[in-house]
Amino acid sequence: MTAIYVDVTQPLQWGPLPPVGIPRVENAIVRQAMRQDQVPVTLFLVERSGRGRLLSSSERRYLSDMLENRLPIIEGDGEASYWRRLARVLNVIRSGGHMSGREFDRAVAAYVARSERNGTRFELTKALVRAARLTSWGARGRAPVSADPLSDPDVYCFLSKLSMHRIAANRSDAIAASVTAILHDIIPVDQPDYFEASHVDKFRRDLDWMFLNCRKVVGVSEWTACRARAYIDAAEIDNQATICVNPLGSFLREGIAEQGDEPLDGLVDKPFAVYCSTIEARKNHIMLLRVWQKLMPILGGRLPMLVLCGRWGWKVGEVRQFLAAHPEIGQKVVFLTGISDAQLAWLYGNARFGVFPSHVEGWGLGAAECLDFGLPVLISDAEALAEATQRLMPVTPADDFDGWCAAVERASTDDAWLALLRATIAARYRPTSEMAFATRLLSLMQASSGAPVANGAQSTPTGQRGGAAASGGAEIHLRAG
């Protein structure tokens, strides 16, 4: 029987925070790996040194409780005081959050201090949170000693993005296991101007390591797979990796199915449009701000509020300057950070329409989330967004200001058009469940290089330039061997 190992480093490091982007995807993979019982799956993590080890019994229990929503998570709390938010964080740490990593420290410090990850208040809070976490971690005892699954040539391992980063930076021993990894995008090397130079260098190192050492590279979209092949050809990387495609789902709606949604008081009974994404130059928030500024005097009360959900990222100077120069736009634009999944679900369920003007994407999780909730979304001409929305939604070039003004004006005023888009979603959109995505990933791990995989989809070797990658995402059953 095939031995399958699934890396849980990312979920453990992220901890009991509302998952977004890549953490949401990897949480789904691990959750489904723990739930399935057809093929034994062993969980492991990768230390900072790049060495793999098995989980302790307490880590397994904590991971299961966290992913199955049996533990408190750090979200919401509205206008609670600094001390109330800090008390919530300390309670989460005592409940097992001490097993999380440094990203947890940074994220919860920003949550407690209500800051953008800078300033004295943030740094002091981060130090306090880290001290509390490390104190609890020290009381837990030393990590278990185990064999390194990555050194075993007879096993198949799924490796997280975070672990690849650790291995590429620090590991000296060769990888013997058959490794599969997900490729979300190659945007930092395709369009480096959107990122800090240090991030681009590290991303390129990790990407090269992936193609040189992984047996399977699973792209989340046809576009990502296409860009990966182009990068390999241009860089002349000597690799044996097989590139497949496992189209991503969004997973938010099914994740909150039991708990329901949670209204945001300031938006109840108000028309609004929603954009859920990290605030950074690549995501093109500046286009939306300019559109809303132009339409405010034209549409007046018919123009919905613009709700921008996400934490602040890099290269946001243009957005900040625009907001400072046009304070009146605050009448129609709301920035939300740190909201819960239940609150995000409410936004999708109650918005008039969604917007996603990003310049480039590897998939476009927020656009897919809109359709999962039956919400029409105006998208840019980034190819991956068309895939994520199954080519059902209106497209406007990312830099077409007049086009975006026209699209937003129509979505704001034309009820019949929006009703038609909603009907199109209901009739033609086919969501991908997290079980279907994770199960297919585990099946792809076991498939022989270049051999057909379930449901007639094909794995495409990187040497086949321009060939079509696998695109099926239907649910399948795991088979051993």
Side-chain angles (χ1 to χ4, degrees):
M1 181 175 291
T2 304
I4 297 179
Y5 287 74
V6 170
D7 176 16
V8 302
T9 307
Q10 179 74 69
L12 280 177
Q13 285 289 304
W14 187 259
L17 295 162
V20 296
I22 292 174
R24 188 184 293 282
V25 174
E26 297 202 1
N27 278 13
I29 293 168
V30 174
R31 178 166 44 243
Q32 293 301 326
M34 297 178 77
R35 286 178 180 176
Q36 70 84 33
D37 56 8
Q38 297 182 46
V39 174
V41 173
T42 302
L43 305 180
F44 78 107
L45 61 79
V46 175
E47 302 277 15
R48 288 189 174 278
S49 64
R51 183 185 183 278
R53 70 163 174 85
L54 304 185
L55 270 62
S56 68
S57 58
S58 60
E59 286 169 330
R60 287 194 298 271
R61 285 194 302 271
Y62 167 63
L63 185 66
S64 177
D65 288 344
M66 182 177 67
L67 295 181
E68 297 296 350
N69 300 314
R70 294 191 289 264
L71 291 177
I73 63 174
I74 298 168
E75 61 181 6
D77 267 359
E79 299 303 317
S81 69
Y82 176 95
W83 298 109
R84 179 178 170 183
R85 294 194 299 273
L86 180 61
R88 181 180 182 89
V89 167
L90 295 178
N91 179 54
V92 168
I93 289 174
R94 287 191 292 270
S95 300
H98 64 275
M99 299 184 201
S100 306
R102 293 183 180 181
E103 177 57 28
F104 173 86
D105 300 341
R106 291 187 285 267
V108 300
Y111 161 82
V112 172
R114 294 235 188 272
S115 75
E116 297 169 9
R117 300 196 179 202
N118 55 50
T120 302
R121 184 180 173 96
F122 168 77
E123 293 297 337
L124 289 175
T125 305
K126 183 176 69 173
L128 179 59
V129 169
R130 182 164 296 175
R133 183 174 62 81
L134 294 179
T135 298
S136 297
W137 180 264
R140 182 190 64 85
R142 305 181 71 177
V145 176
S146 73
D148 180 0
L150 296 170
S151 298
D152 187 342
D154 297 322
V155 305
Y156 294 89
C157 293
F158 166 72
L159 202 59
S160 72
K161 186 174 187 286
L162 175 58
S163 292
M164 277 195 297
H165 178 73
R166 290 179 169 182
I167 292 170
N170 301 314
R171 185 180 177 111
S172 56
D173 296 345
I175 301 293
S178 176
V179 173
T180 296
I182 291 179
L183 180 63
H184 295 271
D185 63 72
I186 69 163
I187 298 171
V189 296
D190 257 355
Q191 301 193 36
D193 289 347
Y194 289 125
F195 304 87
E196 301 292 345
S198 59
H199 176 78
V200 173
D201 291 341
K202 292 174 183 177
F203 187 94
R204 188 185 302 276
R205 178 200 63 200
D206 297 350
L207 189 65
D208 290 348
W209 186 94
M210 173 191 284
F211 291 131
L212 289 169
N213 291 276
C214 290
R215 173 175 165 268
K216 282 275 177 68
V217 172
V218 181
V220 297
S221 67
E222 297 280 2
W223 173 251
T224 293
C226 175
R227 296 310 307 149
R229 295 187 193 97
Y231 175 79
I232 290 168
D233 289 349
E236 298 183 345
I237 296 174
D238 183 17
N239 79 100
Q240 300 299 316
T242 299
I243 295 181
C244 327
V245 176
N246 189 15
L248 202 57
S250 68
F251 316 144
L252 172 65
R253 186 172 184 178
E254 64 179 295
I256 58 96
E258 294 183 3
Q259 69 182 96
D261 59 24
E262 179 185 343
L264 285 147
D265 293 339
L267 294 169
V268 174
D269 296 328
K270 292 183 179 179
F272 63 89
V274 63
Y275 183 23
C276 183
S277 171
T278 303
I279 301 165
E280 57 182 88
R282 175 172 68 90
K283 299 293 188 172
N284 204 19
H285 288 76
I286 191 65
M287 174 62 76
L288 296 178
L289 295 178
R290 289 172 173 159
V291 168
W292 252 256
Q293 183 206 24
K294 178 178 179 179
L295 294 179
M296 281 174 63
I298 297 173
L299 298 183
R302 294 183 298 165
L303 180 65
M305 298 288 292
L306 173 60
V307 179
L308 302 175
C309 306
R311 62 186 183 183
W312 289 78
W314 40 40
K315 300 203 172 186
V316 294
E318 188 177 15
V319 167
R320 291 197 183 282
Q321 290 169 13
F322 187 90
L323 293 172
H326 304 281
E328 72 281 0
I329 204 169
Q331 302 171 31
K332 282 291 186 178
V333 178
V334 176
F335 289 86
L336 297 177
T337 58
I339 65 172
S340 67
D341 277 358
Q343 290 170 326
L344 178 57
W346 184 86
L347 289 174
Y348 285 133
N350 290 273
R352 181 175 174 87
F353 58 93
V355 285
F356 214 106
S358 183
H359 288 289
V360 61
E361 290 291 333
W363 174 248
L365 194 60
E369 286 174 343
C370 286
L371 268 65
D372 269 9
F373 285 85
L375 179 67
V377 56
L378 312 178
I379 63 171
S380 74
D381 55 348
E383 178 61 29
L385 289 177
E387 284 190 59
T389 57
Q390 298 176 15
R391 306 189 186 281
L392 300 176
M393 293 292 101
V395 176
T396 302
D399 294 322
D400 182 357
F401 175 72
D402 291 338
W404 275 98
C405 286
V408 170
E409 181 172 1
R410 185 176 188 186
S412 300
T413 59
D414 191 338
D415 294 342
W417 186 55
L418 283 186
L420 180 61
L421 292 177
R422 287 184 179 274
T424 298
I425 296 170
R428 298 172 57 191
Y429 178 65
R430 297 293 178 264
T432 298
S433 72
E434 73 169 46
M435 181 170 71
F437 177 81
T439 303
R440 177 173 160 78
L441 174 66
L442 295 176
S443 184
L444 284 170
M445 288 173 62
Q446 301 173 84
S448 300
S449 177
V453 295
N455 295 321
Q458 298 290 320
S459 297
T460 305
T462 57
Q464 296 179 1
R465 297 174 175 83
S471 58
E475 189 171 318
I476 60 175
H477 296 290
L478 288 171
R479 295 190 298 275

